[in-house]
Amino acid sequence: MDAKTKLCCLIGNPVEHSISPLIHNTLAKEMGINMVYTAFRVDNDKVDDAIKGAAALGINGLNVTVPHKCTVIDSLAEIDPLARKIGAVNTLVKVENGFKGYNTDIIGLYRELVECDIDIEGKEVIILGAGGASKAITYLCADKGATKIWLLNRTIDNAVAIANEVNSYFGQVVQPLTLDKYTDIPKGKYPIIQTTSVGLYPNVDNAPVENDDFYELAAVGVDIIFNPACTKFMKKCLEHGAKAYNGLKMLLYQGVAAYELWNNTTVPKELTDKVLALMEKEMASR
Ligand code: ATR
């Protein structure tokens, strides 16, 4: 580090267990870029101060995590149109009068889907959950040409709200249902994207839908959870002959997309593979 070192950082609350410093500091070291990445815990009522301070210090870029992904929008100079529709931002890039906000979570998920050979265009998809992550993923699937999105959630009103919003842009593509109404979905094989917090460590013995016949609908299951590495949802998909992936690649690729925006570069595939292996090792040691 010297007086020319570029600083990038994560803000959120909490941030102490974040794996993002491992991603960015490895990329910077391997690519020979004079950049460091650290994390700051920021209280809810200090987000605007933090962004103003970061701009004043000339901080190169920020990641934003829970619970600030929506509130930070009010402090931005500019926002990417898709991030505005989604209503959540996780990456800030320095611009002349402050920061421009992007949603690279969605870029990360899309890269994971492509790499796992999961085709959305012209397909029907099942999404479990109707929180912030689900909203972004529902937009992504509609934007990538899904013909129908079965949006299942415990609280129907939350699924209806996302469906109404996304359908206002893309037509009647999203069908909201309660979790137990998966029986309304025609028999067939679908990609299923799991976005609820059910199954997240330490509650590893839970799945958002426990009934085995639900998993007969799975061609492939993608859980955005990465701790544990194999959730109960993923296990049930595997037991029913489907493939299953966790959210670690999504996390990696959202970071890679942010890094590429900050440094105006492209990270080679061999390097993303190397970082993924380090992330897997780190998660296994926790
Ligand atoms: P995120 O921003 O990570 O998506 P969130 O907005 O808090 O998180 O959303 C959490 C999701 O997990 C919601 O879909 C929530 O369902 P509700 O809308 O009914 O609250 C879902 N969820 C959380 N706990 C759940 C549980 N025990 N069973 C089923 N769904 C649950």
Side-chain angles (χ1 to χ4, degrees), residues 66 128-134 153-155 158 179 195-198 208 224:
V66 177
L128 299 177
S134 165
N153 196 47
R154 176 179 62 179
T155 310
N158 296 340
L179 287 171
T195 77
T196 76
S197 46
V198 183
I224 69 165

